[in-house]
């Protein structure tokens, strides 16, 4: 793609919980299960972060902020925005493609993992 579309697509990869964009594999060895788990825990990790930000807001600026309802609203909004990404991440291990000659199938995101063959 040409600029600026290339930069936009690069930024959107983070929204799809693609941890490969962070180049974690350069620092440490990450297996497929760890990558899947990190994608699954990205959204729930936002809950304490949002709660902490709202507590800090209550402490330092507006003392009338009700933390629990504001946290529930903010977390609901975050999950609403990322719903498609969360759903795609949950279903990604079930998306397979056929090998040439009908010789089995592999997971689209990880070609080394055979679908419906056991193991990882």
């Amino acid at each position: 793609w040409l600029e600026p579309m290339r930069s936009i697509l690069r930024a959107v990869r983070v929204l799809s919980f693609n941890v490969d964009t962070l180049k974690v594999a350069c620092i440490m060895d990450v297996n497929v299960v760890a990558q899947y788990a990190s994608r699954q825990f990205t959204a729930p990790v936002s809950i304490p972060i949002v709660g902490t930000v709202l507590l800090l807001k209550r402490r330092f600026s507006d003392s009338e902020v009700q933390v629990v309802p504001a946290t529930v609203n903010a977390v609901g909004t975050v999950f609403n925005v990322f719903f498609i990404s969360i759903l795609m991440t949950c279903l990604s291990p079930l998306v397979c493609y056929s090998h040439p000659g009908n010789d089995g199938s592999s997971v689209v995101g990880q070609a080394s993992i055979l679908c419906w063959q056991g193991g990882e």
Side-chain angles (χ1 to χ4, degrees):
W1 292 93
L2 299 174
E3 288 295 334
M5 193 64 183
R6 184 181 312 163
S7 298
I8 292 170
L9 289 174
R10 217 176 290 140
V12 171
R13 284 187 205 152
V14 176
L15 295 177
S16 67
F17 305 138
N18 188 354
V19 293
D20 296 335
T21 58
L22 301 176
K23 307 287 187 208
V24 176
C26 294
I27 300 170
M28 60 185 173
D29 186 31
V30 180
N31 64 9
V32 178
V33 176
Q35 285 180 345
Y36 182 74
S38 67
R39 287 180 189 155
Q40 291 302 313
F41 290 119
T42 302
V45 165
S46 69
I47 296 171
I49 293 171
V50 168
T52 303
V53 167
L54 290 172
L55 281 172
L56 291 173
K57 180 180 177 182
R58 180 178 183 183
R59 177 165 171 87
F60 293 114
S61 66
D62 188 10
S63 62
E64 294 183 17
V65 172
Q66 295 178 352
V67 176
V68 175
T71 302
V72 171
N73 287 337
V75 168
T77 301
V78 168
F79 275 76
N80 196 14
V81 167
F82 290 118
F83 175 74
I84 298 297
S85 297
I86 293 168
L87 188 64
M88 286 176 40
T89 301
C90 290
L91 298 177
S92 65
L94 303 175
V95 180
C96 300
Y97 68 93
S98 298
H99 294 165
N102 272 344
D103 192 26
S105 58
S106 294
V107 176
V108 171
Q110 298 290 331
S112 63
I113 298 178
L114 299 176
C115 291
W116 322 116
Q117 297 293 321
E120 284 188 46

